[in-house]
Amino acid sequence: MLSQFEYIKPLVLDEALTFLAEHEQTYILAGGTDLIIMLNKNMIDAKYILDVKSIPDLDVFKFTEGEGLEIGANVTVNELVESDVVQSKYRALCEAASVLATEQLRNRATLVGNICNASPGADLPPSLLIYDATVKIASAKGERSVPLRTFFTGVKKTLLNKDELVVSVFLPDPGKQDNSIYLRQTRLRGHDLSTVGVACRLNGDGKVAIAINAVAITPLLLTDLSDQLNAKGLSEESILWASEEIKKHIKPITDVRASKEYRSHMAGILLKRCLGQLTGKEV
Amino acid sequence: MAQKAENKACAMTTAHAESMERRVRLTCRVNGQFVVEDIDPTMLLLHFLRDRLKLFGTKEACGEGECGACTVIMNGRPVTSCLVLAIEAEGSEITTVEGLAKNGELSILQQEFIELDALQCGFCTPGMLMSARALLDRNPDPTDDDIKEAMSGNLCRCTGYRQIFDAVKKAAKREREELKRS
């Protein structure tokens, strides 16, 4: 590791925000499963590493009936997997969290870190997008909340300013009759990144939301597609239509994991499987 | 003099030449032993265990959390020590493969790895043992799928995994029987 950083571990949020505002080349450390790889490979030159794990404000992990679930920046992926609320209310998120990387990494990696790293193939964003997640952001100047669908701006890029830190992600209470699913294609059954992953939600009003990863420069919430599908109504026919139509809404590339044609094809197959399982229709 | 030259070469290959100025104090427990050391903040937990504490059981291979050879148990959970800064272990409880044997006797899990030939070159074995130990600590009666999932972050290039899987399963059974007897 070439970086000769100083290690800072503030105990209150304000202290962290002031430090961020006043020091360039500061990198935020939560789980470290992306950051420490970048440090090990000398991909970044860090002057300061700001460890946020001792800030109690970021430990929040609280569900309020009728409102929703707030997931703080220090909540690890395995804490999501083990949470009764996530299991019962946000099934797709539980499924995505349980296939993310390996047991060892899930014990360190955080949900907020997964979105801040902004990999187009990250497993968690589709399952957050279908629940209209919002991101709570803080800086020394104040707080703001943005919808997650506007948070990603490119490959490994977000709308976060350098002096800002994500405090938490908020998921509205989906209500009772809600169900969701996350399916992904990988090259092998064990530990692999998603070649393409689809999350679908069927809410209490029978409306569908669809999100997808690894087929564009950012994870995508496919609102046009789901609007059209909802207008048609859910049937075996419309599901088959959507699994073809989805190919017009994505821009996959060819890389080491798959060709763009395969990604496009699998996007359709996964969508069909997701909707089939959610509706109980045989497609 | 020869000793000095050797140390220097060693420091250069481990790629974390320590700075004397920016030392931070690390206090933790490793295999039940209280440890207080002044370290460079850029030092990884993996290198702290190996280079400082001379616990060479924990192995370095990929350095990016893919292979699991550096797995240790930190506060009851398995983690890849190549992706943890040593200073992040402040106040924590670490168990390495050296902490598994008690009073000079190998643990049931280690005995079963030997018994069922769950290793060939042995390089991945400490990581395998730590993932398995963490699994059995939180789930003494795992299903076959639980074992596969818990071990999927550990790569082995020799055995083909079957013997490892069998060893974990048999160790779980023996541990449960032992518990009933006691």
Side-chain angles (χ1 to χ4, degrees):
Chain A
M1 190 185 296
L2 293 176
S3 284
Q4 292 295 304
F5 56 78
E6 273 181 49
Y7 174 82
I8 319 289
K9 194 175 189 181
L11 301 174
V12 287
L13 184 57
D14 280 349
E15 199 187 328
L17 297 175
T18 310
F19 190 91
L20 263 183
E22 291 172 355
H23 297 83
E24 295 263 316
Q25 281 175 274
T26 302
Y27 289 83
I28 297 164
L29 170 66
T33 53
D34 289 307
L35 181 68
I36 294 177
I37 293 175
M38 289 194 280
L39 286 168
N40 278 343
K41 292 188 172 178
N42 301 317
M43 289 158 72
I44 52 172
D45 182 17
K47 214 165 164 193
Y48 303 99
I49 294 295
L50 184 72
D51 187 341
V52 296
K53 284 192 289 293
S54 290
I55 302 174
D57 289 355
L58 307 185
D59 292 342
V60 59
F61 191 23
K62 187 169 175 259
F63 180 74
T64 313
E65 194 82 39
E67 287 182 33
L69 176 66
E70 188 175 8
I71 304 164
N74 286 337
V75 176
T76 65
V77 175
N78 259 348
E79 284 173 310
L80 294 177
V81 177
E82 292 158 13
S83 149
D84 291 340
V85 169
V86 175
Q87 283 170 22
S88 62
K89 292 254 176 192
Y90 307 94
R91 183 180 146 203
L93 180 59
C94 185
E95 289 173 345
S98 61
V99 297
L100 185 147
T102 64
E103 177 70 16
Q104 292 98 314
L105 298 197
R106 291 192 290 270
N107 282 330
R108 300 293 293 173
T110 61
L111 174 139
V112 166
N114 194 240
I115 67 161
C116 289
N117 189 52
S119 163
D123 276 306
L124 303 185
S127 305
L128 300 170
L129 287 166
I130 54 171
Y131 284 104
D132 298 317
T134 51
V135 185
K136 191 161 131 191
I137 299 167
S139 75
K141 287 176 233 145
E143 271 189 15
R144 61 172 175 148
S145 272
V146 300
L148 181 66
R149 63 173 191 280
T150 65
F151 182 77
F152 304 107
T153 55
V155 177
K156 300 247 169 188
K157 288 196 178 84
T158 68
L159 50 63
L160 282 179
N161 294 319
K162 279 196 173 144
D163 63 341
E164 287 181 317
L165 179 153
V166 173
V167 174
S168 62
V169 167
F170 181 79
L171 299 174
D173 185 349
K176 289 213 162 57
Q177 304 295 320
D178 195 279
N179 198 2
S180 65
I181 185 168
Y182 175 70
L183 293 178
R184 66 174 195 164
Q185 185 69 12
T186 50
R187 291 166 300 176
L188 41 94
R189 267 196 305 167
H191 169 201
D192 194 13
L193 294 170
S194 164
T195 300
V196 51
V198 175
C200 286
R201 172 187 177 195
L202 181 62
N203 73 10
D205 301 328
K207 301 290 183 204
V208 168
I210 302 163
I212 186 163
N213 61 26
V215 291
I217 56 168
T218 68
L220 298 175
L221 179 65
L222 301 177
T223 37
D224 287 350
L225 179 66
S226 53
D227 285 351
Q228 289 173 50
L229 180 60
N230 288 328
K232 283 176 188 287
L234 281 174
S235 64
E236 278 148 34
E237 265 179 2
S238 69
I239 291 173
L240 291 175
W241 168 83
S243 60
E244 279 304 312
E245 185 70 13
I246 191 172
K247 295 167 190 174
K248 297 179 192 163
H249 295 259
I250 57 179
K251 281 188 186 151
I253 57 162
T254 296
D255 66 10
V256 289
R257 269 176 219 103
S259 67
K260 60 184 178 192
E261 291 82 7
Y262 182 71
R263 282 199 161 93
S264 220
H265 176 71
M266 283 315 298
I269 301 277
L270 291 176
L271 179 61
K272 193 163 74 177
R273 284 184 196 156
C274 281
L275 293 173
Q277 289 191 31
L278 280 181
T279 60
K281 295 187 194 303
E282 281 188 33
V283 282
Chain B
M1 199 58 200
Q3 182 66 40
K4 231 178 185 175
E6 202 173 275
N7 283 347
K8 201 175 166 195
C10 189
M12 280 170 74
T13 51
T14 50
H16 61 274
E18 288 194 54
S19 145
M20 295 304 284
E21 298 107 58
R22 298 169 307 115
R23 293 284 163 124
V24 282
R25 170 74 43 103
L26 168 62
T27 309
C28 59
R29 282 173 84 92
V30 179
N31 299 331
Q33 297 280 318
F34 195 59
V35 173
V36 185
E37 292 270 338
D38 289 331
I39 57 162
D40 186 291
T42 65
M43 186 181 237
L44 299 173
L45 178 59
L46 168 67
H47 295 144
F48 175 73
L49 295 170
R50 288 181 59 87
D51 300 352
R52 275 296 181 88
L53 303 187
K54 307 297 177 197
L55 295 171
F56 297 117
T58 306
K59 303 298 184 204
E60 177 166 21
C62 74
E64 52 187 56
E66 293 281 338
C67 74
C70 67
T71 302
V72 299
I73 299 175
M74 184 171 172
N75 295 330
R77 288 179 180 267
V79 302
T80 46
S81 61
C82 72
L83 295 186
V84 180
L85 295 175
I87 190 61
E88 289 183 89
E90 172 65 27
S92 71
E93 178 98 36
I94 310 274
T95 309
T96 70
V97 71
E98 290 88 347
L100 293 183
K102 293 281 176 290
N103 307 320
E105 194 188 340
L106 293 178
S107 64
I108 291 173
L109 191 60
Q110 287 166 308
Q111 290 170 19
E112 290 306 328
F113 264 63
I114 295 167
E115 187 65 28
L116 295 178
D117 291 324
L119 62 150
Q120 283 182 33
C121 85
F123 195 84
C124 73
T125 312
M128 290 283 178
L129 287 166
M130 299 324 286
S131 283
R133 183 68 268 144
L135 168 70
L136 300 184
D137 284 346
R138 67 179 183 275
N139 181 3
D141 193 3
T143 64
D144 290 1
D145 281 349
D146 290 340
I147 297 174
K148 286 179 193 165
E149 180 54 42
M151 306 301 291
S152 73
N154 293 76
L155 300 183
C156 172
R157 301 288 78 164
C158 308
T159 65
Y161 300 105
R162 183 73 232 181
Q163 298 91 325
I164 295 170
F165 173 85
D166 291 344
V168 176
K169 199 169 167 170
K170 192 159 161 233
K173 188 161 173 259
R174 266 187 67 196
E175 284 185 6
R176 290 197 303 276
E177 287 165 0
E178 200 100 325
L179 206 66
K180 260 186 222 160
R181 265 202 295 277
S182 64

